[in-house]
Amino acid sequence: RTPPDVTAMRLGPASGAVAALASAALVAELSAGGGAAAMFFEGRQALPLPDRLALYIAALVLPLALATAAWSLRRGRQRQDGKSAVAAVSEPCTGTVAGQSRAGSSCSSRPSPVGRRLFPGTSSRWVANSQFGRLAQLLSLTEAEASCLEHRVKAIHAALWEDQGCRRCMEARPSSVGESETSGGSSSSSSSSFGSGSNEAREAQLHEPIDDYVVARFLLAAKNDQTRATTNLKNYVAWRQGLPGVVSPPDGWLNSAAILLPFEDRYGRPVVVIRARFLSSGDSDLFEQGFCATLDAVIGHLLSRRARGDALENNPLDQYIVWIDTSGAGMQNFFLPFVKTMQRLATMRYAERAAKMYVLFPGVFVRGLWRTVKGLLLERTQKNIQMVAEGEVPRVLRDLLGPGAQDWLPPELGGVARPWPSPDEALTLEDKAGTLAANAWRLLGAAPSWDAALQPQDPASAISGLAPEGRAAARSRAARNGHCTKCWDWLAHLLQMRV
């Protein structure tokens, strides 16, 4: 039952060693005119000189060729494992991450405008008994997995509630949830009986509500392993309590401008854009902190929308999508430690947050990698990874964003918006991380200290009359152009907005 390539990789070194010993014995026999050589070749003197030389060369080359083949198989297997990890980033349930635990990412103590660095407070969403079937459809579960979803979700909630550390900052699942669901198939309840008045005594919200949707996502990421999902959730809550609050983006991460969070798609899912050509090897802890800060911005943005009353009916699992722009990238931009970090975080902390991954401008290297690992992935995982050829990029992205997509997309992606700055050109927080990330970090109090210096301090200043989006665009254009090449365009826009 062992795969053929694995069998060859295991037998290659052994066969090479045996062939080397046999060849060495043959050379010795031929050189010394021994009995074996005389038996098979009728004596050394009976063979012409060219034949003897050819035999010597064959005896020496054979073990070298076998050893080279075994080494190539082993290297190919290692590369295949690395490529599988790359493709599994957006679908963490395809493999088990068995890494050692890491210390929590560092978090700045700079206070937010409201005095604390916490996620916006939102009510938990409980799924009625009759609606677990719809939740199973959202998770793309099989019939067997869907049949036990309700039991496992309730069992995980009960286990979390028994843990004193988790109980401090979460609501207990009501014993009975009303059957009057919203259009999203869930029932938001903050007035249910939680017992002992524990809900009123909850600590401030250091994380998103641990409701039925969050538990279901962690269960799916753990391959429907109830014990593992419970452990991961407990560790996640403890990690949030240890920060406390959200993760701040480090300056080293921002200066790379490799990952942007500029806007949502038409379904209300934030779009994480990975510009692979700007990724470079570096500190894994720095990468982990920056990646966590970006995903915290995703969570903060979605929770802030829910706190304002948006139902997000088209994004009930609070997911995001990923665009990987591979144009200009090469082998030097792909690092296995970074991929393993992203996979571990996607399984242990940000379970099933990535809804789909779009690989833009795939070249020969990327397409070869995909063909190599595609057969090793689950069918559901294969459907969630889409290769988008260069000629199809504008159409696919416009379909994802909906009406007005061209006003959001830069020219390199088929739009008319200003190009996304390179790391050397990025000046503002919007340039370095995207508009959604910048606004979310400011709301959460996680924005870097230098960002406050770029905010308008004088209420009577010229750009203070613009809307927040207009202010950010005006500051960016003014800083980059120095009021020289496009100053009249900026001034005309300013006067129009003020009128």
Side-chain angles (χ1 to χ4, degrees):
R1 299 177 59 182
T2 305
D5 56 344
V6 178
T7 303
M9 185 180 69
R10 292 173 179 171
L11 297 181
S15 61
V18 172
L21 292 176
S23 300
L26 180 59
V27 171
E29 288 285 343
L30 289 173
S31 301
M39 181 184 300
F40 287 100
F41 301 104
E42 299 180 356
R44 179 178 54 180
Q45 289 76 12
L47 289 176
L49 179 61
D51 292 344
R52 289 205 308 272
L53 292 178
L55 189 60
Y56 290 155
I57 294 174
L60 293 175
V61 170
L62 178 62
L64 179 62
L66 289 176
T68 303
W71 179 83
S72 299
L73 285 173
R74 183 179 297 273
R75 290 289 298 173
R77 188 67 181 178
Q78 293 174 350
R79 291 174 181 172
Q80 192 175 33
D81 293 341
K83 295 173 183 178
S84 301
V86 172
V89 170
S90 68
E91 202 66 35
C93 66
T94 59
T96 303
V97 179
Q100 298 181 352
S101 60
R102 287 171 172 264
S105 300
S106 59
C107 187
S108 171
S109 60
R110 190 173 70 88
S112 70
V114 296
R116 287 182 290 185
R117 301 164 39 77
L118 309 175
F119 283 124
T122 55
S123 300
S124 298
R125 297 169 296 162
W126 308 114
V127 179
N129 297 339
S130 61
Q131 293 295 327
F132 272 96
R134 181 179 182 275
L135 180 58
Q137 292 179 351
L138 293 174
L139 298 172
S140 301
L141 299 181
T142 63
E143 183 176 353
E145 295 169 342
S147 62
C148 54
L149 177 63
E150 177 181 355
H151 169 74
R152 289 175 175 172
V153 167
K154 293 180 178 180
I156 292 175
H157 268 295
L160 293 175
W161 189 247
E162 292 299 323
D163 186 274
Q164 295 297 327
C166 296
R167 183 183 296 192
R168 289 163 40 199
C169 55
M170 63 174 287
E171 300 174 354
R173 192 182 194 280
S175 57
S176 61
V177 180
E179 294 296 326
S180 58
E181 292 89 292
T182 64
S183 59
S186 62
S187 175
S188 297
S189 174
S190 58
S191 59
S192 303
S193 175
F194 295 96
S196 308
S198 57
N199 190 38
E200 292 76 7
R202 279 191 309 138
E203 293 183 353
Q205 186 172 336
L206 295 173
H207 47 74
E208 67 273 27
I210 309 299
D211 54 19
D212 288 345
Y213 289 85
V214 173
V215 171
R217 285 194 291 101
F218 270 83
L219 185 61
L220 181 60
K223 291 185 173 181
N224 290 289
D225 188 326
Q226 180 178 320
T227 302
R228 189 192 306 171
T230 304
T231 301
N232 290 345
L233 262 171
K234 288 182 179 180
N235 293 337
Y236 174 75
V237 173
W239 173 69
R240 285 292 183 193
Q241 291 174 344
L243 285 178
V246 301
V247 180
S248 295
D251 286 340
W253 170 268
L254 294 174
N255 291 335
S256 69
I259 298 185
L260 307 178
L261 186 63
F263 38 63
E264 295 179 343
D265 69 355
R266 67 191 308 168
Y267 304 107
R269 301 174 299 186
V271 178
V272 176
V273 181
I274 301 178
R275 301 190 288 178
R277 61 185 177 275
F278 296 137
L279 291 174
S280 59
S281 61
D283 187 0
S284 296
D285 292 334
L286 177 69
F287 180 86
E288 177 178 341
Q289 182 179 352
F291 189 66
C292 289
T294 300
L295 297 190
D296 278 1
V298 170
I299 300 175
H301 170 75
L302 294 174
L303 289 183
S304 64
R305 287 195 58 184
R306 292 193 183 279
R308 295 195 301 265
D310 296 339
L312 297 181
E313 296 177 1
N314 294 322
N315 188 18
L317 297 177
D318 291 344
Q319 294 179 309
Y320 63 92
I321 62 175
V322 182
W323 296 356
I324 301 182
D325 183 0
T326 63
S327 60
M331 284 291 296
Q332 69 276 8
N333 301 114
F334 293 90
F335 304 97
L336 188 58
F338 289 177
V339 174
K340 291 182 177 179
T341 296
M342 295 172 67
Q343 186 181 20
R344 173 173 55 84
L345 295 177
T347 304
M348 309 291 287
R349 296 179 186 172
Y350 304 95
E352 292 297 323
R353 287 282 185 183
K356 197 163 185 177
M357 176 186 297
Y358 298 86
V359 182
L360 312 180
F361 311 106
V364 176
F365 166 73
V366 176
R367 289 191 178 276
L369 185 152
W370 172 241
R371 286 193 296 268
T372 302
V373 304
K374 184 177 181 180
L376 304 176
L377 303 179
L378 299 176
E379 182 179 358
R380 183 171 66 90
T381 305
Q382 296 179 21
K383 293 180 179 179
N384 288 342
I385 302 176
Q386 179 177 344
M387 297 286 158
V388 185
E390 182 176 0
E392 295 294 319
V393 167
R395 180 188 62 81
V396 172
L397 299 190
R398 284 197 297 265
D399 290 344
L400 279 173
L401 297 183
Q406 285 192 340
D407 297 332
W408 294 98
L409 294 173
E412 58 266 27
L413 298 181
V416 296
R418 71 181 181 91
W420 288 329
S422 65
D424 295 335
E425 298 172 338
L427 299 176
T428 66
L429 191 57
E430 285 82 359
D431 292 343
K432 296 174 182 291
T435 302
L436 285 192
N439 292 337
W441 286 329
R442 290 166 187 152
L443 175 66
L444 301 172
S449 57
W450 53 261
D451 177 63
L454 298 179
Q455 302 299 314
Q457 302 294 332
D458 183 8
S461 61
I463 64 174
S464 63
L466 296 177
E469 296 81 6
R471 272 204 310 271
R475 284 197 308 274
S476 178
R477 283 195 295 268
R480 181 170 294 101
N481 297 325
H483 300 287
C484 57
T485 59
K486 294 185 180 180
C487 58
W488 295 111
D489 177 46
W490 176 83
L491 183 59
H493 177 68
L494 170 63
L495 293 176
Q496 182 180 2
M497 293 296 295
R498 290 183 64 83
V499 171

